[in-house]
Amino acid sequence: ECVLITGCDSGIGRNTAIQLVKEGFTVFGTCYSDNSFEGLEKECVGKGVLVPFQVDITNEDSVKALSDLVEKELTYGNNRRLISIVNNAGVLTNGPLEMQPMRSIIHQFDVN
């Protein structure tokens, strides 16, 4: 069985991916930064498989490429099925909302 997790660069997303791979799941683990994959791949050891993918969830083409990858993997993946999506990607800007530049507010809404 497969799980798609966004935001595996750090924190909850990363730890969830690691745990699910240990338990035998195929995890489509997405990271915003390519630099995040090396450590994640080393930590994802177990009965499952990590399928890493770089994605910018604010970019429609990037999200479409992810969708195509997951569909391809499920179609040709020996009857695997997607049982869950963990939409964990997120950003946080610090400080009062009224003090934030509009581009930061828009970015936060787009990602979250």
Side-chain angles (χ1 to χ4, degrees), residues 68-85:
D68 291 345
L69 169 82
V70 171
E71 184 176 2
K72 178 182 173 187
E73 290 285 329
L74 294 176
T75 301
Y76 301 106
N78 299 324
N79 297 319
R80 292 187 292 182
R81 63 190 180 111
L82 186 65
I83 62 165
S84 182
I85 297 174

Side-chain angles (χ1 to χ4, degrees), residues 14-38:
R14 184 183 197 89
N15 291 331
T16 302
I18 292 166
Q19 186 61 38
L20 288 176
V21 168
K22 284 180 184 175
E23 293 180 19
F25 290 88
T26 295
V27 175
F28 299 103
T30 72
C31 294
Y32 178 74
S33 170
D34 282 334
N35 298 333
S36 300
F37 287 123
E38 185 177 329

Side-chain angles (χ1 to χ4, degrees), residues 10-105:
S10 62
I12 293 171
R14 184 183 197 89
N15 291 331
T16 302
I18 292 166
Q19 186 61 38
L20 288 176
V21 168
K22 284 180 184 175
E23 293 180 19
F25 290 88
T26 295
V27 175
F28 299 103
T30 72
C31 294
Y32 178 74
S33 170
D34 282 334
N35 298 333
S36 300
F37 287 123
E38 185 177 329
L40 179 61
E41 290 174 321
K42 287 179 182 177
E43 292 180 70
C44 282
V45 292
K47 298 180 279 184
V49 175
L50 173 70
V51 180
F53 195 79
Q54 191 279 328
V55 69
D56 176 356
I57 63 168
T58 66
N59 180 293
E60 189 174 331
D61 292 335
S62 184
V63 173
K64 173 72 168 113
L66 172 62
S67 174
D68 291 345
L69 169 82
V70 171
E71 184 176 2
K72 178 182 173 187
E73 290 285 329
L74 294 176
T75 301
Y76 301 106
N78 299 324
N79 297 319
R80 292 187 292 182
R81 63 190 180 111
L82 186 65
I83 62 165
S84 182
I85 297 174
V86 181
N87 191 16
N88 179 69
V91 295
L92 174 66
T93 56
N94 292 319
L97 183 64
E98 61 271 12
M99 301 299 289
Q100 301 300 317
M102 186 55 74
R103 69 181 182 283
S104 294
I105 295 168

